[in-house]
Amino acid sequence: MNTIFKIAWRNIWRNKRRTLITAGSIFFAVLLSVVMMSIQKGAWDKMVDNVVNFYFGYGQIHDKGYWDEQTIDRSFALSEEINALPGQIENLDNIVPRLETFALGSHQKNAYVVRVTGFDPEREDQLTELSSRLTAGEYPAVDDKAILIGEGVAEKFKLGINDTLVLIGQGYHGVNAAGKYAVKGIVRFGSPELNKVMVYLPLAEAQRMHGAEGLVNSLALDIKDRRDVPQVLTDIRASVDTSAYEIMSWEEMMPELLEAREVDTAGNVIILFILYVIITFGIFGTILMMAKEREYEFGVLTAIGMRRGKLGIIIWIETIILGLVGAFAGLLGSLPIVIYLNRNPLNFNEMSEQMAETYENFGFEPIFPAAISPEIFFNQTLIVILITTVLALYPLLKIYRLKPVEAMRA
Amino acid sequence: MNIIEATGIEKVYNPNKIAVHALNGVDLTIEQGEFTAIVGPSGSGKTTLLNIIGGLDHPTAGSVKVEGTDISTLNDNQLIDFRKEHIGFVFQAYNLIPVLTAKENVEFVMLLQKRSQQERETRSMELLRAVGLEDQVNKRPSQLSGGQQQRVAVARALAPKPTFVMADEPTANLDSKSTANLLDIMARLNKEENITFLFSTHDQRVIDRARRVVTLVDGRIETDETKF
Ligand SMILES: Nc1ncnc2c1ncn2[C@@H]1O[C@H](COP(=O)(O)OP(=O)(O)OP(=O)(O)O)[C@@H](O)[C@H]1O
Ligand SMILES: [Mg+2]
């Protein structure tokens, strides 16, 4: 075995230039793939985190059927069982209760529809960092009977701090819901749509206004790490009555986000596929030349008593080593680049103003750290091993068909 | 004792196209300890005959027995193993594995035979000394002259303790000094260790050193002379 390895290794370096060119092409393919995929994965991870933490959270609990028909009538009481969840379930930091409705707002001569969110100021802030969006006034306290509004709402209604907004809507099971609230604070959302409609009212007051004491219609789950989401959801499903509640992940609530990610990733996969096809032909060329050049030698080796299988193993090892040398060099080369791009994220502010603007409209910082994902590195190595393994079949086939006399006539 | 018995050997190349009758009924027996040259004009069938006797090619008709084994009955792997154990090969050129040193080349077949490290070590050094290359053991073939390479090839052919050594024009690429040197070594190994050599050649100086000369013409044995 030792000698087989020795022979294979020396053969690889027999034609140094050709080996370096072949390994070099693998090196660049792996480098490019790893860097590209890490940037893309990082960007999308960040994007998902942004979107998710913006409002929805990584998961939500609703009354069964709420997501399809979002009305206040599908509210539910915060039972002890549900309140106990954060203490019970690992990696579930908190549950963030909301009572979400629409109402007609009016101030002086202006009247528009707004989205009223009854919220728990402290828990909401932990999940979405709402208070950091404050541009004027103060962030409401739990027992305040005052509202926090989007900048767009303030402009539309021409509202300032301490001005009052009248809200008229429909309460629980058709009761009238009306109230008059002073503006305590103004927040800015990047998304113009949200800016123009969001009105936050502390939960207790919102419940009172809607005749829905003790009721909420959604519970956002505060989970810090995306990777814990499946486990948390499974655990919740195991401990609450799933015929009464629906427990949804962000993927279920926002399938379009997942789809956009898949479409974008597929685009990259096609580019990488083409890249690897080109590399494959390069490696095949090398193997073809190698097999041709060494036909005589193969003939001598079988003549003096080396079995075809053993000879095949040498050639196979040679090809695999060649691939792995290139692949590992590529991985080693890409690691510092990926780490650098993780520590010093790509900033779309500097790259494209248009792109930066688009992201800012959605309220995200256009900064994307590359992902450091072992899976990406592992997959590239696997691809190269697969390619070289398949290509190594060619010389193996040649060796199995080889007739020493003919090989040595060349 | 006869170690090779070839009877009624015929070889037809391209039987379906323009057939070439390379051998037309050759009978040849070789005894232990012979030092025999196969000679004849170009195209007379020397290489074809050696390849068939060496188990590298199959005859169209006839049989070859080496130490009593009819080699036409062996399957591919058995034949490869048979060559490994019983036949030493020296070809015209490029005999050696380029990436191995002289010593590693000599050890190689013994490694295939799973001989012990100790045995490989002693025997390869002994053989390289016998061919006068004890100070070149760690050189690769590309660092050796053509004559030195052929001497390593002889050492390698002897390493597995074969029944006989077949050499197809072993001196064809050598100058006269290297030719003489190689023949001295072969003749001495033949004499002192009773090793059987069967070789083909064009070279009159090589023919002169053989004890038995078999002349092929058009795939037939024309003369078979043994000198005393
Ligand atoms: N693989 C082959 N296919 C077809 N014809 C062949 C093949 N090998 C040899 N021949 C033919 O068989 C005949 C004998 O060839 P062989 O090589 O045995 O002669 P030789 O005596 O060794 O000649 P030389 O002295 O030139 O080496 C020649 O006519 C040759 O052209
Ligand atoms: Mg010949």
Side-chain angles (χ1 to χ4, degrees):
Chain A
M1 201 59 212
N2 221 340
T3 316
I4 285 187
F5 234 81
K6 188 164 71 189
I7 294 178
W9 182 252
R10 289 187 192 165
N11 272 322
I12 289 175
W13 299 107
R14 205 156 134 187
N15 194 331
K16 273 203 195 72
R17 198 188 321 171
R18 188 166 70 199
T19 298
L20 287 177
I21 289 173
T22 311
S25 73
I26 299 171
F27 166 83
F28 280 112
V30 169
L31 186 87
L32 206 70
S33 310
V34 167
V35 172
M36 237 168 99
M37 296 189 81
S38 300
I39 290 175
Q40 193 189 37
K41 181 168 170 13
W44 273 103
D45 284 353
K46 184 82 192 296
M47 179 89 133
V48 167
D49 286 353
N50 281 334
V51 171
V52 161
N53 290 326
F54 185 63
Y55 188 76
F56 289 103
Y58 284 119
Q60 289 193 356
I61 301 177
H62 318 121
D63 198 42
K64 191 138 197 131
Y66 173 78
W67 196 250
D68 291 332
E69 196 198 339
Q70 303 187 7
T71 84
I72 191 168
D73 290 345
R74 291 196 184 273
S75 301
F76 59 97
L78 282 179
S79 62
E80 264 177 44
E81 171 192 62
I82 291 210
N83 273 325
L85 288 177
Q88 244 172 36
I89 285 167
E90 215 184 326
N91 300 320
L92 177 62
D93 284 15
N94 218 333
I95 48 175
V96 182
R98 291 171 185 155
L99 185 67
E100 295 167 288
T101 61
F102 286 91
L104 186 70
S106 65
H107 174 64
Q108 292 168 354
K109 283 177 191 152
N110 300 314
Y112 302 98
V113 173
V114 294
R115 184 182 171 114
V116 180
T117 300
F119 79 127
D120 178 322
E122 271 169 35
R123 294 199 218 171
E124 190 73 35
D125 200 33
Q126 275 170 23
L127 180 70
T128 64
E129 293 175 2
L130 184 59
S131 67
S132 69
R133 299 183 177 276
L134 209 63
T135 56
E138 281 169 50
Y139 189 70
V142 187
D143 51 3
D144 273 348
K145 297 182 170 52
I147 53 175
L148 181 71
I149 60 174
E151 229 175 31
V153 176
E155 275 166 32
K156 233 167 29 171
F157 287 94
K158 303 201 169 56
L159 283 165
I161 299 299
N162 287 330
D163 289 346
T164 52
L165 180 68
V166 174
L167 296 173
I168 301 166
Q170 204 177 37
Y172 189 57
H173 286 311
V175 304
N176 271 339
K180 192 176 152 196
Y181 300 102
V183 174
K184 182 154 189 190
I186 297 175
V187 284
R188 176 193 289 151
F189 293 103
S191 153
E193 283 77 40
L194 287 178
N195 237 358
K196 276 187 284 191
V197 295
M198 290 307 279
V199 172
Y200 284 94
L201 181 61
L203 185 63
E205 180 55 26
Q207 287 169 334
R208 203 200 52 72
M209 173 187 154
H210 290 90
E213 266 83 4
L215 301 181
V216 299
N217 52 15
S218 79
L219 276 177
L221 304 173
D222 191 351
I223 305 166
K224 286 286 168 296
D225 193 327
R226 184 160 17 96
R227 285 168 295 191
D228 297 330
V229 174
Q231 164 253 317
V232 172
L233 295 190
T234 312
D235 291 355
I236 294 179
R237 286 191 182 112
S239 54
V240 305
D241 177 4
T242 49
S243 65
Y245 300 105
E246 59 188 22
I247 294 104
M248 298 178 78
S249 67
W250 63 273
E251 287 117 319
E252 290 166 303
M253 292 188 287
M254 292 172 280
E256 62 290 342
L257 189 63
L258 205 65
E259 212 169 281
R261 178 179 193 149
E262 271 161 18
V263 168
D264 191 50
T265 309
N268 250 1
V269 167
I270 291 172
I271 294 175
L272 294 182
F273 178 77
I274 294 171
L275 183 71
Y276 274 116
V277 167
I278 296 171
I279 296 306
T280 302
F281 277 105
I283 305 172
F284 190 55
T286 302
I287 291 179
L288 217 66
M289 276 191 280
M290 181 276 287
K292 188 78 210 144
E293 280 171 9
R294 281 166 59 194
E295 212 178 324
Y296 186 95
E297 186 184 328
F298 294 163
V300 172
L301 285 168
T302 32
I304 66 173
M306 187 170 212
R307 285 199 182 189
R308 295 166 200 273
K310 213 164 218 169
L311 185 53
I313 289 174
I314 292 186
I315 305 308
W316 192 76
I317 291 176
E318 274 178 38
T319 333
I320 297 288
I321 291 181
L322 180 66
L324 284 183
V325 165
F328 279 124
L331 294 185
L332 281 183
S334 56
L335 197 63
I337 300 178
V338 171
I339 291 176
Y340 177 85
L341 289 176
N342 178 270
R343 303 273 151 79
N344 307 274
L346 290 178
N347 191 333
F348 282 94
N349 274 326
E350 289 155 17
M351 291 168 66
S352 147
E353 257 178 50
Q354 224 180 349
M355 193 101 94
E357 227 180 270
T358 315
Y359 282 113
E360 265 162 10
N361 277 342
F362 285 98
F364 313 142
E365 250 186 321
I367 286 175
F368 296 104
I372 302 178
S373 163
E375 176 189 301
I376 291 176
F377 289 84
F378 179 76
N379 285 347
Q380 298 313 308
T381 321
L382 201 70
I383 289 172
V384 172
I385 292 179
L386 274 178
I387 291 176
T388 43
T389 304
V390 171
L391 289 180
L393 293 178
Y394 173 79
L396 290 195
L397 202 75
K398 281 230 116 170
I399 287 166
Y400 269 89
R401 289 198 184 147
L402 177 117
K403 296 202 174 88
V405 174
E406 280 168 23
M408 287 188 292
R409 269 167 64 92
Chain B
M1 190 187 77
N2 289 342
I3 52 171
I4 302 171
E5 287 177 14
T7 36
I9 304 292
E10 290 177 23
K11 179 72 183 179
V12 184
Y13 289 111
N14 301 330
N16 303 323
K17 294 180 234 162
I18 308 156
V20 178
H21 293 262
L23 295 174
N24 300 302
V26 172
D27 298 313
L28 183 68
T29 52
I30 303 282
E31 277 177 41
Q32 169 74 40
E34 281 194 26
F35 198 65
T36 298
I38 313 273
V39 303
S42 187
S44 56
K46 304 182 291 295
T47 298
T48 305
L49 181 61
L50 283 180
N51 284 343
I52 288 170
I53 290 173
L56 295 173
D57 203 355
H58 296 285
T60 312
S63 79
V64 178
K65 280 187 185 164
V66 176
E67 283 196 315
T69 305
D70 184 345
I71 61 176
S72 65
T73 62
L74 304 176
N75 70 24
D76 185 62
N77 271 337
Q78 288 172 329
L79 193 58
I80 290 176
D81 289 346
F82 189 84
R83 293 198 297 259
K84 176 177 76 190
E85 302 296 337
H86 294 274
I87 308 170
F89 291 93
V90 180
F91 302 105
Q92 197 170 320
Y94 310 112
N95 276 286
L96 306 176
I97 305 168
V99 297
L100 297 183
T101 63
K103 181 159 162 284
E104 287 166 339
N105 263 289
V106 177
E107 282 186 63
F108 188 76
V109 192
M110 290 190 278
L111 202 74
L112 294 178
Q113 290 179 316
K114 302 196 162 62
R115 302 282 175 89
S116 74
Q117 157 92 43
Q118 171 75 46
E119 188 183 352
R120 294 194 319 253
E121 178 75 27
T122 353
R123 185 154 175 81
S124 60
M125 286 310 291
E126 195 181 285
L127 288 167
L128 283 166
R129 203 172 301 118
V131 297
L133 289 174
E134 61 271 28
D135 50 355
Q136 314 284 333
V137 291
N138 290 322
K139 289 200 174 155
R140 300 244 185 126
S142 59
Q143 298 166 306
L144 298 171
S145 73
Q148 288 172 325
Q149 288 181 36
Q150 288 305 75
R151 278 144 66 191
V152 177
V154 170
R156 183 197 59 193
L158 292 173
K161 301 188 174 157
T163 311
F164 70 97
V165 174
M166 69 147 261
D168 190 11
E169 307 206 32
T171 60
N173 291 341
L174 302 185
D175 58 41
S176 52
K177 191 160 164 263
S178 303
T179 299
N181 185 263
L182 188 71
L183 274 154
D184 287 343
I185 289 165
M186 285 166 57
R188 198 187 70 236
L189 286 163
N190 171 256
K191 198 177 217 156
E192 293 175 1
E193 311 203 6
N194 203 26
I195 288 160
T196 313
F197 281 91
L198 179 62
F199 50 93
S200 74
T201 185
H202 272 124
D203 188 336
Q204 191 55 46
R205 288 163 301 181
V206 179
I207 299 171
D208 292 343
R209 303 283 299 262
R211 280 211 309 280
R212 177 179 169 194
V213 179
V214 177
T215 309
L216 281 181
V217 176
D218 290 337
R220 280 195 186 82
I221 293 178
E222 194 170 78
T223 60
D224 184 347
E225 303 165 61
T226 304
K227 308 173 204 164
F228 294 95

